[in-house]
PDB file of all heavy atoms in Angstrom:
ATOM      1  N   ALA A   2      -5.211 -18.270  16.122  1.00 65.00           N
ATOM      2  CA  ALA A   2      -3.906 -17.882  15.681  1.00 65.00           C
ATOM      3  C   ALA A   2      -3.614 -16.441  16.004  1.00 65.00           C
ATOM      4  O   ALA A   2      -4.483 -15.567  16.127  1.00 65.00           O
ATOM      5  CB  ALA A   2      -3.962 -17.967  14.105  1.00 65.00           C
ATOM      6  N   ALA A  24      -7.867  -3.520   6.233  1.00 97.00           N
ATOM      7  CA  ALA A  24      -7.004  -3.847   7.205  1.00 97.00           C
ATOM      8  C   ALA A  24      -7.558  -3.291   8.616  1.00 97.00           C
ATOM      9  O   ALA A  24      -7.331  -4.068   9.775  1.00 97.00           O
ATOM     10  CB  ALA A  24      -5.734  -3.045   6.987  1.00 97.00           C
ATOM     11  N   PRO A  64      -2.163   4.786  16.444  1.00 98.00           N
ATOM     12  CA  PRO A  64      -1.445   6.084  16.175  1.00 98.00           C
ATOM     13  C   PRO A  64      -1.353   6.398  14.689  1.00 98.00           C
ATOM     14  O   PRO A  64      -0.993   5.461  13.925  1.00 98.00           O
ATOM     15  CB  PRO A  64      -0.221   5.937  16.915  1.00 98.00           C
ATOM     16  CG  PRO A  64       0.047   4.502  17.143  1.00 98.00           C
ATOM     17  CD  PRO A  64      -1.284   3.857  17.223  1.00 98.00           C
ATOM     18  N   PRO A  72       9.858  13.640  -2.188  1.00 97.00           N
ATOM     19  CA  PRO A  72      10.821  12.579  -2.442  1.00 97.00           C
ATOM     20  C   PRO A  72      12.259  12.896  -2.031  1.00 97.00           C
ATOM     21  O   PRO A  72      12.545  14.100  -1.682  1.00 97.00           O
ATOM     22  CB  PRO A  72      10.814  12.391  -4.070  1.00 97.00           C
ATOM     23  CG  PRO A  72       9.504  12.942  -4.410  1.00 97.00           C
ATOM     24  CD  PRO A  72       9.197  14.008  -3.491  1.00 97.00           C
ATOM     25  N   SER A  87      -8.585  16.071  -2.866  1.00 80.00           N
ATOM     26  CA  SER A  87      -8.469  15.644  -1.512  1.00 80.00           C
ATOM     27  C   SER A  87      -7.711  14.282  -1.376  1.00 80.00           C
ATOM     28  O   SER A  87      -7.262  13.922  -0.318  1.00 80.00           O
ATOM     29  CB  SER A  87      -9.854  15.528  -0.826  1.00 80.00           C
ATOM     30  OG  SER A  87     -10.561  14.274  -1.304  1.00 80.00           O
ATOM     31  N   PRO A 101      -2.745  13.740  14.140  1.00 98.00           N
ATOM     32  CA  PRO A 101      -1.633  12.798  14.191  1.00 98.00           C
ATOM     33  C   PRO A 101      -0.832  13.036  15.421  1.00 98.00           C
ATOM     34  O   PRO A 101      -0.948  14.030  16.075  1.00 98.00           O
ATOM     35  CB  PRO A 101      -0.836  13.205  12.985  1.00 98.00           C
ATOM     36  CG  PRO A 101      -1.633  14.206  12.235  1.00 98.00           C
ATOM     37  CD  PRO A 101      -2.787  14.788  13.028  1.00 98.00           C
ATOM     38  N   ILE A 102      -0.136  12.045  15.695  1.00 98.00           N
ATOM     39  CA  ILE A 102       0.753  12.141  17.008  1.00 98.00           C
ATOM     40  C   ILE A 102       1.870  13.226  16.617  1.00 98.00           C
ATOM     41  O   ILE A 102       2.103  13.557  15.518  1.00 98.00           O
ATOM     42  CB  ILE A 102       1.423  10.739  17.425  1.00 98.00           C
ATOM     43  CG1 ILE A 102       2.104  10.175  16.236  1.00 98.00           C
ATOM     44  CG2 ILE A 102       0.283   9.784  17.685  1.00 98.00           C
ATOM     45  CD1 ILE A 102       3.049   8.914  16.574  1.00 98.00           C
ATOM     46  N   LEU A 156       7.173  -5.595 -14.031  1.00 97.00           N
ATOM     47  CA  LEU A 156       8.074  -6.220 -14.947  1.00 97.00           C
ATOM     48  C   LEU A 156       7.538  -6.012 -16.479  1.00 97.00           C
ATOM     49  O   LEU A 156       8.276  -6.566 -17.321  1.00 97.00           O
ATOM     50  CB  LEU A 156       8.229  -7.700 -14.710  1.00 97.00           C
ATOM     51  CG  LEU A 156       8.734  -8.069 -13.198  1.00 97.00           C
ATOM     52  CD1 LEU A 156       9.037  -9.543 -13.103  1.00 97.00           C
ATOM     53  CD2 LEU A 156      10.079  -7.370 -13.022  1.00 97.00           C
ATOM     54  N   SER A 162       4.912   5.953 -17.274  1.00 96.00           N
ATOM     55  CA  SER A 162       5.888   5.975 -18.423  1.00 96.00           C
ATOM     56  C   SER A 162       5.747   4.632 -19.051  1.00 96.00           C
ATOM     57  O   SER A 162       5.148   3.653 -18.577  1.00 96.00           O
ATOM     58  CB  SER A 162       7.313   6.450 -18.032  1.00 96.00           C
ATOM     59  OG  SER A 162       7.960   5.301 -17.415  1.00 96.00           O
ATOM     60  N   GLU A 166       6.171   2.331 -12.897  1.00 97.00           N
ATOM     61  CA  GLU A 166       4.850   2.378 -12.074  1.00 97.00           C
ATOM     62  C   GLU A 166       4.840   3.655 -11.189  1.00 97.00           C
ATOM     63  O   GLU A 166       5.903   4.000 -10.780  1.00 97.00           O
ATOM     64  CB  GLU A 166       4.696   1.093 -11.328  1.00 97.00           C
ATOM     65  CG  GLU A 166       3.569   0.885 -10.352  1.00 97.00           C
ATOM     66  CD  GLU A 166       3.767   1.639  -8.947  1.00 97.00           C
ATOM     67  OE1 GLU A 166       5.059   1.667  -8.473  1.00 97.00           O
ATOM     68  OE2 GLU A 166       2.888   2.102  -8.464  1.00 97.00           O
ATOM     69  N   ASP A 192       1.936  -5.968 -12.748  1.00 97.00           N
ATOM     70  CA  ASP A 192       1.691  -7.344 -13.342  1.00 97.00           C
ATOM     71  C   ASP A 192       0.538  -8.120 -12.834  1.00 97.00           C
ATOM     72  O   ASP A 192      -0.128  -8.783 -13.567  1.00 97.00           O
ATOM     73  CB  ASP A 192       2.909  -8.166 -13.174  1.00 97.00           C
ATOM     74  CG  ASP A 192       4.303  -7.399 -13.577  1.00 97.00           C
ATOM     75  OD1 ASP A 192       4.483  -7.230 -14.674  1.00 97.00           O
ATOM     76  OD2 ASP A 192       4.931  -7.033 -12.677  1.00 97.00           O
ATOM     77  N   LEU A 195      -3.299  -4.739 -12.322  1.00 96.00           N
ATOM     78  CA  LEU A 195      -4.048  -4.346 -13.444  1.00 96.00           C
ATOM     79  C   LEU A 195      -4.972  -5.466 -13.944  1.00 96.00           C
ATOM     80  O   LEU A 195      -5.837  -5.252 -14.801  1.00 96.00           O
ATOM     81  CB  LEU A 195      -3.155  -3.949 -14.690  1.00 96.00           C
ATOM     82  CG  LEU A 195      -2.407  -2.631 -14.495  1.00 96.00           C
ATOM     83  CD1 LEU A 195      -1.547  -2.350 -15.676  1.00 96.00           C
ATOM     84  CD2 LEU A 195      -3.394  -1.488 -14.279  1.00 96.00           C
ATOM     85  N   HIS A 245      -4.264 -14.242   1.587  1.00 97.00           N
ATOM     86  CA  HIS A 245      -4.400 -15.350   0.671  1.00 97.00           C
ATOM     87  C   HIS A 245      -3.283 -15.355  -0.354  1.00 97.00           C
ATOM     88  O   HIS A 245      -3.632 -15.131  -1.443  1.00 97.00           O
ATOM     89  CB  HIS A 245      -5.821 -15.210  -0.054  1.00 97.00           C
ATOM     90  CG  HIS A 245      -7.034 -15.516   0.721  1.00 97.00           C
ATOM     91  ND1 HIS A 245      -7.339 -16.695   1.290  1.00 97.00           N
ATOM     92  CD2 HIS A 245      -7.996 -14.702   1.319  1.00 97.00           C
ATOM     93  CE1 HIS A 245      -8.428 -16.744   1.963  1.00 97.00           C
ATOM     94  NE2 HIS A 245      -8.858 -15.402   2.115  1.00 97.00           N
ATOM     95  N   ASP A 253      10.881 -15.485  -7.691  1.00 97.00           N
ATOM     96  CA  ASP A 253      12.028 -14.640  -7.200  1.00 97.00           C
ATOM     97  C   ASP A 253      12.861 -14.037  -8.303  1.00 97.00           C
ATOM     98  O   ASP A 253      13.101 -14.672  -9.237  1.00 97.00           O
ATOM     99  CB  ASP A 253      12.897 -15.572  -6.418  1.00 97.00           C
ATOM    100  CG  ASP A 253      12.292 -16.060  -4.977  1.00 97.00           C
ATOM    101  OD1 ASP A 253      11.199 -15.489  -4.639  1.00 97.00           O
ATOM    102  OD2 ASP A 253      12.706 -16.939  -4.400  1.00 97.00           O
ATOM    103  N   ASP A 271      16.881  -8.968 -13.612  1.00 93.00           N
ATOM    104  CA  ASP A 271      18.030  -9.499 -14.389  1.00 93.00           C
ATOM    105  C   ASP A 271      17.628 -10.939 -14.867  1.00 93.00           C
ATOM    106  O   ASP A 271      18.125 -11.929 -14.372  1.00 93.00           O
ATOM    107  CB  ASP A 271      19.273  -9.557 -13.607  1.00 93.00           C
ATOM    108  CG  ASP A 271      20.496  -9.946 -14.286  1.00 93.00           C
ATOM    109  OD1 ASP A 271      20.282 -10.103 -15.471  1.00 93.00           O
ATOM    110  OD2 ASP A 271      21.387 -10.262 -13.673  1.00 93.00           O
ATOM    111  N   SER A 277      23.715 -10.327 -11.765  1.00 91.00           N
ATOM    112  CA  SER A 277      23.521 -10.645 -10.443  1.00 91.00           C
ATOM    113  C   SER A 277      24.002 -11.962  -9.853  1.00 91.00           C
ATOM    114  O   SER A 277      23.822 -12.262  -8.766  1.00 91.00           O
ATOM    115  CB  SER A 277      21.832 -10.602 -10.180  1.00 91.00           C
ATOM    116  OG  SER A 277      21.325 -11.557 -11.133  1.00 91.00           O
ATOM    117  N   TRP A 297     -13.571 -12.523  -3.277  1.00 97.00           N
ATOM    118  CA  TRP A 297     -13.166 -12.310  -1.868  1.00 97.00           C
ATOM    119  C   TRP A 297     -13.667 -10.991  -1.547  1.00 97.00           C
ATOM    120  O   TRP A 297     -14.045 -10.740  -0.394  1.00 97.00           O
ATOM    121  CB  TRP A 297     -11.637 -12.491  -1.908  1.00 97.00           C
ATOM    122  CG  TRP A 297     -10.949 -11.873  -0.647  1.00 97.00           C
ATOM    123  CD1 TRP A 297     -10.899 -12.387   0.528  1.00 97.00           C
ATOM    124  CD2 TRP A 297     -10.310 -10.538  -0.523  1.00 97.00           C
ATOM    125  NE1 TRP A 297     -10.279 -11.561   1.485  1.00 97.00           N
ATOM    126  CE2 TRP A 297      -9.913 -10.379   0.729  1.00 97.00           C
ATOM    127  CE3 TRP A 297     -10.094  -9.511  -1.534  1.00 97.00           C
ATOM    128  CZ2 TRP A 297      -9.197  -9.205   1.185  1.00 97.00           C
ATOM    129  CZ3 TRP A 297      -9.415  -8.491  -1.108  1.00 97.00           C
ATOM    130  CH2 TRP A 297      -9.065  -8.270   0.166  1.00 97.00           C
ATOM    131  N   ALA A 307     -20.018  -5.151   9.883  1.00 96.00           N
ATOM    132  CA  ALA A 307     -20.030  -5.681  11.225  1.00 96.00           C
ATOM    133  C   ALA A 307     -19.028  -5.142  12.113  1.00 96.00           C
ATOM    134  O   ALA A 307     -19.241  -4.784  13.220  1.00 96.00           O
ATOM    135  CB  ALA A 307     -20.046  -7.201  11.157  1.00 96.00           C
ATOM    136  N   ALA A 310     -19.679  -1.491  13.102  1.00 96.00           N
ATOM    137  CA  ALA A 310     -20.862  -1.338  14.017  1.00 96.00           C
ATOM    138  C   ALA A 310     -20.327  -1.808  15.516  1.00 96.00           C
ATOM    139  O   ALA A 310     -20.676  -1.103  16.409  1.00 96.00           O
ATOM    140  CB  ALA A 310     -21.955  -2.319  13.546  1.00 96.00           C
TER     141      ALA A 310
END
Side-chain angles (χ1 to χ4, degrees):
S87 72
I102 61 175
L156 301 182
S162 77
E166 177 276 331
D192 310 289
L195 290 177
H245 291 287
D253 288 344
D271 185 12
S277 53
W297 163 81

